[in-house]
Amino acid sequence: MTSITSGPSGLMPHIETPPAMPVDPMDDIELRSVQLQYPNQRGSIVGQCDLRRVPTDKGDILVAVQGDTTKPAIVTYHDLGLNYASSFAGFFNFPSMRSLLDNFCVYHVNAPGQEEGAPTFPEEYVYPTFDELGAQMLFVMSHFNLKSIIGLGVGAGANILARFALANPDKVGALCLINCSSTQAGWIEWGYQLLNTRNLRSKGMTQGVLDYLMWHHFGRNPEERNLDLVQLYKSNFERSINPVNLAMLIDSYIKRTDLNIARTPSGSPQTTASLKMPVLNITGALSPHIDDTVTFNGRLVPEKTNWMKISDCGLVLEEQPGKLAEAFRLFLQGEGYAPTFSPHAKNHTTTTNYNINNVNNNNVNNNQEFDKLNGNGAGSGGGGGGGGGCVVSGAATSDNGNLPVSATTGAAIRITENPLPENVAC
């Protein structure tokens, strides 16, 4: 405010002007060089793994070992366009899965030539078939002196682990397979992938190949999902994978044979091959591979199968790691692995997508142990009949092993695709 004071007699009043307001030094600065960095560092598991080269009859393969090798073994296998780091980094850095490593050792198997920085295979190199890729698991088990494994596979990797389990049922204790196909490639898939392999060999990672890979992993309209995640995967496809080696893997994938498994009706003699170990068969509600998993589920033994469709995702490992981690943990607990493991604190009631906290108005405490947590035969399986339903915590199986029962009331529970069960009469 300007103030006026009286001056000497006969003179004009003296006007005092306040000092000027300081100028904000940021007013004239333009932010010219600020740009968004790619979110490539999202808790990579590379630094947590011991990388080993395992010799096989088809050349060496890279296996990344994560955890204590004296613990039970989980073997992972990745999908097309990925490797162990890009496929499982986010999932195994999720808090529940980091805790799971206290009870297991994870062996991440890479398909030949798919690791980052892999040299290009020569033209005369004959890439292994999917049956031969499955047989390489015998070399991995022998190298690390493993007697039995738990398989965790995605897409193409799920198909490879299923083949190994069919050929060696005594070496696989359980399987968790995501977006697994049990049939040979159809004409549309064969045509698209053949075009992709030609472009990868001659031009590298073209926009058409990139679009197909994004659809393969995310389903339709990936741009409407997590933009950082979409950008991360595009960056990985463009920069981290050798296109010629990827073309060879895709070519082997489209030449895969049918698994030739079938469900035998209850009470009938087993005349066809099928997976003999428990299987957790998972897909995402937005995945383009739902029909493949339904077909696969219809060919499995109902008493040993659980089919699960997880909502609001196509890429289950990345978009819904919490739901998948909980289902995987309960599946392992139901098969007798890590029976006391829980990612939650003890002595309190918890709520997750697969927990039942109020069965017949009685709370189920999380510190209660259960002998068996996976249902069978009563779930929604889709075409060909249902396998098991969703894996649900807070329920133990009945004496006959067919229907889970309430841990508090003893009432039987029917498990459906909806995680919340309904009571049925025994």
Side-chain angles (χ1 to χ4, degrees):
M1 177 181 296
T2 301
S3 60
I4 303 177
T5 59
S6 301
S9 179
L11 298 179
M12 294 292 294
H14 176 67
I15 300 177
E16 296 181 0
T17 303
M21 296 292 293
V23 178
D24 188 347
M26 295 295 291
D27 287 348
D28 298 326
I29 297 178
E30 296 183 10
L31 301 179
R32 300 174 182 269
S33 59
V34 176
Q35 57 184 357
L36 180 66
Q37 292 291 108
Y38 278 123
N40 288 330
Q41 301 301 324
R42 53 176 184 137
S44 175
I45 60 175
V46 176
Q48 307 170 22
C49 296
D50 180 18
L51 302 183
R52 305 279 188 88
R53 283 282 175 181
V54 177
T56 73
D57 58 342
K58 298 296 180 179
D60 293 353
I61 58 174
L62 180 68
V63 179
V65 184
Q66 183 181 9
D68 184 353
T69 55
T70 63
K71 301 294 179 65
I74 296 176
V75 173
T76 71
Y77 216 115
H78 58 85
D79 202 355
L80 301 177
L82 302 173
N83 52 46
Y84 84 94
S86 55
S87 184
F88 296 102
F91 182 60
F92 279 94
N93 271 295
F94 195 75
S96 296
M97 294 309 297
R98 285 202 301 267
S99 301
L100 191 68
L101 290 178
D102 294 337
N103 298 274
F104 294 92
C105 182
V106 185
Y107 298 82
H108 302 283
V109 179
N110 282 275
Q114 304 306 306
E115 63 270 18
E116 187 171 353
T120 303
F121 287 132
E123 284 295 328
E124 62 273 13
Y125 178 77
V126 179
Y127 204 87
T129 66
F130 263 46
D131 286 320
E132 292 170 338
L133 290 174
Q136 286 183 334
M137 296 299 101
L138 289 174
F139 293 91
V140 174
M141 294 186 68
S142 176
H143 183 86
F144 294 104
N145 195 28
L146 304 176
K147 303 302 182 184
S148 178
I149 65 170
I150 300 164
L152 172 60
V154 186
N159 187 279
I160 292 170
L161 290 180
R163 291 174 188 275
F164 174 70
L166 277 171
N168 305 275
D170 57 323
K171 297 184 182 299
V172 182
L175 285 174
C176 177
L177 304 178
I178 303 170
N179 294 335
C180 183
S181 173
S182 61
T183 60
Q184 63 185 10
W187 284 108
I188 295 178
E189 179 188 3
W190 182 84
Y192 270 108
Q193 294 285 34
L194 184 63
L195 180 61
N196 289 339
T197 59
R198 290 178 178 176
N199 287 333
L200 286 168
R201 291 176 187 272
S202 60
K203 303 176 183 178
M205 185 61 66
T206 64
Q207 186 62 44
V209 177
L210 182 62
D211 290 342
Y212 190 91
L213 287 174
M214 293 300 296
W215 171 84
H216 177 84
H217 292 286
F218 287 89
R220 296 184 181 275
N221 305 318
E223 64 279 355
E224 297 179 1
R225 318 268 264 287
N226 186 316
L227 295 181
D228 286 343
L229 185 61
V230 169
Q231 195 66 26
L232 175 66
Y233 268 71
K234 286 183 178 180
S235 176
N236 173 76
F237 296 143
E238 293 172 341
R239 305 179 184 185
S240 301
I241 297 298
N242 187 304
V244 175
N245 295 354
L246 175 58
M248 292 184 178
L249 176 60
I250 293 176
D251 187 61
S252 181
Y253 181 62
I254 61 176
K255 292 178 180 177
R256 68 187 185 273
T257 58
D258 192 287
L259 290 182
N260 290 320
I261 59 176
R263 173 182 298 179
T264 301
S266 179
S268 302
Q270 186 73 30
T271 57
T272 56
S274 188
L275 292 172
K276 299 180 180 180
M277 66 290 303
V279 178
L280 180 57
N281 180 22
I282 296 179
T283 189
L286 304 178
S287 170
H289 310 291
I290 294 177
D291 290 344
D292 290 331
T293 64
V294 171
T295 300
F296 181 47
N297 187 74
R299 305 173 79 179
L300 297 174
V301 179
E303 291 79 8
K304 296 185 178 181
T305 305
N306 290 287
W307 180 79
M308 180 183 299
K309 181 170 69 174
I310 299 180
S311 61
D312 300 325
C313 67
L315 188 63
V316 179
L317 280 168
E318 297 283 9
E319 295 183 281
Q320 294 289 1
K323 293 180 181 179
L324 178 59
E326 180 75 354
F328 187 49
R329 177 180 70 84
L330 296 173
F331 175 64
L332 294 180
Q333 284 184 335
E335 299 310 318
Y337 297 97
T340 60
F341 168 78
S342 175
H344 308 293
K346 291 185 178 181
N347 299 321
H348 69 90
T349 303
T350 59
T351 303
T352 71
N353 288 291
Y354 302 102
N355 272 10
I356 307 170
N357 291 328
N358 199 326
V359 182
N360 293 337
N361 298 319
N362 292 302
N363 286 336
V364 178
N365 289 331
N366 199 47
N367 63 338
Q368 185 171 2
E369 296 182 12
F370 308 106
D371 296 326
K372 194 82 169 175
L373 300 178
N374 59 313
N376 59 74
S380 171
C390 287
V391 179
V392 182
S393 70
T397 56
S398 58
D399 294 336
N400 62 11
N402 290 329
L403 279 176
V405 298
S406 166
T408 57
T409 65
I413 297 174
R414 174 178 291 120
I415 302 177
T416 66
E417 182 184 338
N418 188 324
L420 297 179
E422 53 179 310
N423 292 332
V424 296
C426 292

